[in-house]
Amino acid sequence: MSERNQVDNISSVKLNDIEEILSEEFGDRFRAYRVDYRKSMNYDKNGFLPDFPLTVSFELVNRCNLKCVMCYTDHHRLDKKTLAIGTIESVLRECRQNGLPAAVIGMAAESLLYKDIRRVIGASREAGIMDVFLGTNATLLTPELSEFIVDQRVARVEVSLDAATPETYKKIRSKDELDVVEKNVRELVAAKRRKGSKLPVVRLCFCVQPDNVQERQAFIDKWQDDVDYIDFQEMIDFQYVTPLVENRPQDVPNIDNLEPQAYCPYPFNSLHVWADGMVTPCCTYYGKALPLGNVEEQTLTDMWNGDEINKIRDEFRTGNLNPVCRVCLSARDSENFSKAKALSRETPYVTAAEEND
């Protein structure tokens, strides 16, 4: 069996060589990190587990200014939680001590709603993190912030944008904001060009679903001259997050009969910090049902080596998954995504992703 370089639920339109861009910027350290990343994707073959996570993700505030139909929007209606800047900086100091190569800013909410977002970006770069990802829906991405992002040498900006037309955007994302988002993304690209920078790499994420699958080619045509790559991702069914978070697996129909493929690299390469400080082994909403601890009380190092995550890893090694992981891996809408993959075969510059982040 060949090495696993991507996950099956992402089909990527590669418009520039991302590895080459980031390798030029960060040199041998980046290349070594990507070797370890790919080893972590093949944990089931080589037994690889890094001493510290390769990626740490941060949800800064559990709020979003959009209400997307494919999202678990119940999360954004919970009591407001904000990850204190002091807590973030404390975690980043630990990350610096352990040579963390990658960090994701955003996760399950809109990162630009966080009032100290510039301080978080700056602290991430000061912590020596190379591959800083900023995830956003770009509604609040001002020209001034774009200039700051380019000046800070942020590695990647990932924009969730699931439509080529205003009608589809409003249907999926609840607001008529497509013109604003497109203008903001193009201003970010323009800032890169003015400064002669290849960073940040700009990635657009398109969640394939019945309302937008017909716009896939139009989306590629619209953006192929401006962004670095486009990821078409499959939709996940989040309807069973609440009962699992509330420890009611009996409310999930046929849960004992679910038998998805027992493969997930997240517990083997990353940790994810939510706005309330909770840490989980994956970045999906289902991960909230598998808490490992809290950054206010424990270090990432302790949680990375703790009994809870080691139990989850053993479940994936043996194929005897817990109910949460079984539901999460079974909750992907492969039918709509398969339509996108079929279209990708008709487009010569579309290939399978060589990375999942």
Side-chain angles (χ1 to χ4, degrees), residues 46 90 107 190 207 210 258 271 285 307 334 338-339 345:
N46 56 34
S90 176
M107 245 168 78
C207 182
L258 297 175
L271 288 178
Y285 294 111
D307 293 340
S334 58
S338 67
K339 295 178 183 177
R345 289 192 290 271

Side-chain angles (χ1 to χ4, degrees), residues 237-256:
D237 182 355
F238 291 123
Q239 66 176 310
Y240 299 121
V241 170
T242 297
L244 290 172
V245 169
E246 295 178 353
N247 196 28
R248 294 184 284 109
Q250 67 273 13
D251 292 348
V252 181
N254 301 314
I255 191 170
D256 293 331

